[in-house]
Amino acid sequence: QVQLVESGGGLVQAGGSLRLSCAASGSIFSINTMGWYRQAPGKQREMVATITSGGSTNYADSVKDRFTISRDNAKNTWYLQMNSLKPEDTAVYYCYCNTRYRDYWGQGTQVTVSS
């Protein structure tokens, strides 16, 4: 089992920045891929950014060159640095990871970008 605790959401003006954090505990040795998804009102949940245990990253086209995913293995934590935020980035952001057997999700944190 893996437990995920997110932090760092909030309200920011367009053009601003926020950093989300996801702290993992439990069977962290079994994690393959970690990352962030988001879900805006009335829309499906979508991948924002992922990073594998080997360090390979993947980004949604809509956030490339604005968002950066990183991890701190010593703290069992990964981050999403979000720069140049736009109103369309407004959503609930979910921390995510998977193991060989299942996916795990955080509780979600609201990010609101005002115009």
Side-chain angles (χ1 to χ4, degrees):
Q1 293 288 330
V2 176
Q3 295 78 42
L4 303 176
V5 178
E6 305 166 7
S7 60
L11 173 64
V12 64
Q13 289 188 331
S17 298
L18 282 174
R19 189 177 81 155
L20 306 182
S21 301
C22 180
S25 60
S27 301
I28 56 175
F29 61 88
S30 61
I31 294 174
N32 293 323
T33 299
M34 56 208 82
W36 297 91
Y37 282 66
R38 68 186 181 187
Q39 187 166 17
K43 295 188 177 181
Q44 290 189 331
R45 190 173 298 189
E46 63 174 357
M47 187 276 293
V48 177
T50 60
I51 184 167
T52 68
S53 57
S56 297
T57 58
N58 186 37
Y59 294 92
D61 288 343
S62 59
V63 307
K64 280 181 182 176
D65 301 323
R66 300 189 298 122
F67 291 10
T68 302
I69 189 169
S70 62
R71 63 183 185 184
D72 185 333
N73 291 334
K75 296 182 178 180
N76 301 321
T77 300
W78 55 96
Y79 307 94
L80 185 68
Q81 178 66 44
M82 304 185 291
N83 298 329
S84 303
L85 282 160
K86 304 175 181 180
E88 51 263 43
D89 294 317
T90 295
V92 177
Y93 284 70
Y94 295 92
C95 174
Y96 161 86
C97 73
N98 67 24
T99 67
R100 178 180 179 183
Y101 300 106
R102 58 163 289 183
D103 297 339
Y104 294 88
W105 297 92
Q107 77 279 10
T109 186
Q110 178 70 45
V111 171
T112 302
V113 184
S114 64
S115 57

